[in-house]
Amino acid sequence: MVMLMSLSAYPTKHLRRQVEGKIRSWSCSSWLSTFKQIADMDTPLSTPCNIQICEVTCDSFRIMWDMTPEDTDRATHFFIDLSRKENRDGNRFKHRDVPTKLVAKAVPLPMAVRGHWFLSPRTDYCVAVQTAVRQPDGDYQVSEWSQVVEFCTGDYAMEHLQQLLDKASGSAGRLLKFSVFYPQPAPRVLRLCQEGMWSCNTEFDTGLPPNDSPYGPLRFQIPVGQLLNPNVSLYFADFYCMYTAYHYVVLVLAPMGSEGDTFCRTRLPMLDLASNPFLTYIAPERPEEEPLYCHASDVILEILFTEPVHLDRGTVEQISGHHQLMSLTTANAKKDPSCKVCNISVGR
């Protein structure tokens, strides 16, 4: 409880003068503080300029910009507007990336931005910044947004890929036999060759490719031995999911000695063709026997073959299913950064 007392309650003139002086002093400083706050509210914050991005990793970066000395003293918070660079070929069947608004207390620049839940490796981003002053009522006085700056996050380091490989190995499941590769999406018949991702997943009960496909009623198929044989190198590239029950493993097949093989050798973990949890080639023991090809049963494999494949090496087949498995297409889809099965925490 606060008690208010009249100055006449103080017994001596000397004591009353001391109290009056303190009251006048308090009132003056309070008014000055109030007037300064009002003046600052009337003075707009300058727009951040000369945005610079540095020390970029697969899930972090540092950002800095130019501010006036007055704004540096006043700013209490920074707002960061972060979004993926737009891709014209959007995927309407998947969770799309939404802009991320980050709010941080003002710190000396450059400021570190970290988070695998909103930053993905090898991804183009757009970023803009805004400075702000928090008002006594909780509202913010803000500057104009800066110009938008683009940057690309880095790739996983080899030790990070090894962590992903270890996680993926625990989710691969048992190996199933298969006989053909088929691309995703299916190439147009008139194209001379196909570059890109290939699939090899099969139906559990038949050992054949699925009857349904997100890519339409036609499927180009090629015998597995055309791509998977002792003359290729096999690499692990990624492990992820996209807000579904499916987990994806990305592998790379590169003909030995090719440019793709040379590129991958220092950047990706190499797998033993005959002994790995995802995709295997077992050589025949006798001349009359056929090689054994197997794929992991509990993950969806996406296989990148680094060289063009001519269509005359395979056939085009009609699919008998309903072609409605749109959830299986991964083109331009947003990956789930919150999954504990397939995410690692980098740079902590």
Side-chain angles (χ1 to χ4, degrees):
M1 182 174 63
V2 178
M3 298 182 63
L4 300 178
M5 298 179 63
S6 170
L7 287 176
S8 61
Y10 292 94
T12 65
K13 291 182 179 180
H14 177 70
L15 187 55
R16 282 199 296 271
R17 289 196 193 99
Q18 286 183 327
V19 174
E20 287 172 353
K22 290 181 179 180
I23 293 175
R24 283 196 296 270
S25 174
W26 175 84
S27 299
C28 183
S29 62
S30 297
W31 278 110
L32 286 174
S33 177
T34 302
F35 282 137
K36 186 176 185 305
Q37 290 180 7
I38 295 173
D40 286 345
M41 291 175 63
D42 292 337
T43 304
L45 290 162
S46 59
T47 303
C49 60
N50 191 26
I51 311 299
Q52 299 179 54
I53 307 292
C54 60
E55 299 182 31
V56 180
T57 71
C58 60
D59 70 344
S60 69
F61 64 93
R62 288 184 176 271
I63 184 170
M64 62 185 301
W65 58 90
D66 292 342
M67 298 171 61
T68 64
E70 295 79 12
D71 287 353
T72 302
D73 293 338
R74 293 173 56 199
T76 62
H77 290 78
F78 298 146
F79 297 162
I80 310 293
D81 187 356
L82 183 69
S83 61
R84 293 194 186 194
K85 188 175 179 181
E86 289 187 6
N87 191 315
R88 293 181 180 179
D89 301 323
N91 180 358
R92 61 190 179 91
F93 302 105
K94 286 291 181 184
H95 293 76
R96 292 192 179 185
D97 189 66
V98 295
T100 300
K101 298 293 192 301
L102 306 175
V103 180
K105 288 187 177 181
V107 295
L109 300 177
M111 181 178 71
V113 180
R114 295 189 180 94
H116 71 278
W117 52 92
F118 54 81
L119 285 173
S120 299
R122 309 179 297 271
T123 305
D124 292 317
Y125 286 94
C126 300
V127 63
V129 299
Q130 192 178 45
T131 57
V133 178
R134 186 180 175 89
Q135 305 297 335
D137 61 1
D139 288 340
Y140 289 92
Q141 178 191 0
V142 297
S143 71
E144 295 292 331
W145 284 104
S146 71
Q147 78 273 21
V148 175
V149 174
E150 298 178 0
F151 72 100
C152 182
T153 49
D155 208 340
Y156 285 122
M158 187 68 83
E159 58 266 30
H160 304 144
L161 284 169
Q162 187 61 50
Q163 292 178 40
L164 280 174
L165 172 56
D166 294 340
K167 280 181 166 264
S169 298
S171 300
R174 67 190 185 94
L175 292 171
L176 300 177
K177 292 189 293 185
F178 76 107
S179 58
V180 295
F181 283 113
Y182 50 96
Q184 39 171 309
R188 295 178 182 177
V189 176
L190 294 180
R191 288 179 57 180
L192 296 178
C193 61
Q194 170 68 25
E195 296 175 281
M197 289 292 187
W198 294 76
S199 294
C200 62
N201 295 85
T202 58
E203 297 283 7
F204 182 80
D205 54 345
T206 66
L208 299 175
N211 289 327
D212 293 299
S213 167
Y215 305 115
L218 296 178
R219 175 184 287 146
F220 175 74
Q221 298 181 169
I222 187 170
V224 59
Q226 294 282 337
L227 305 185
L228 183 60
N229 55 65
N231 299 316
V232 299
S233 300
L234 177 64
Y235 298 93
F236 171 85
D238 205 355
F239 177 48
Y240 66 94
C241 69
M242 298 176 298
Y243 299 94
T244 69
Y246 309 108
H247 273 88
Y248 296 81
V249 170
V250 180
L251 304 175
V252 178
L253 282 173
M256 289 182 177
S258 66
E259 184 177 352
D261 188 30
T262 302
F263 179 87
C264 294
R265 192 169 294 273
T266 58
R267 293 173 172 84
L268 300 176
M270 179 180 279
L271 302 176
D272 185 345
L273 272 181
S275 178
N276 72 82
F278 312 113
L279 188 70
T280 59
Y281 164 87
I282 306 297
E285 296 182 357
R286 300 181 182 86
E288 65 274 13
E289 294 180 345
E290 294 292 328
L292 178 63
Y293 306 95
C294 295
H295 71 84
S297 60
D298 292 351
V299 293
I300 297 176
L301 297 181
E302 296 183 315
I303 300 155
L304 175 64
F305 194 73
T306 59
E307 303 298 318
V309 178
H310 289 273
L311 293 183
D312 58 9
R313 296 170 65 180
T315 59
V316 176
E317 303 288 343
Q318 182 81 28
I319 301 176
S320 60
H322 299 289
H323 332 301
Q324 294 178 346
L325 298 182
M326 291 301 182
S327 63
L328 293 182
T329 177
T330 63
N332 305 312
K334 179 175 172 58
K335 299 177 183 179
D336 182 1
S338 63
C339 178
K340 297 185 184 302
V341 174
C342 61
N343 279 287
I344 60 173
S345 196
V346 179
R348 301 299 178 266

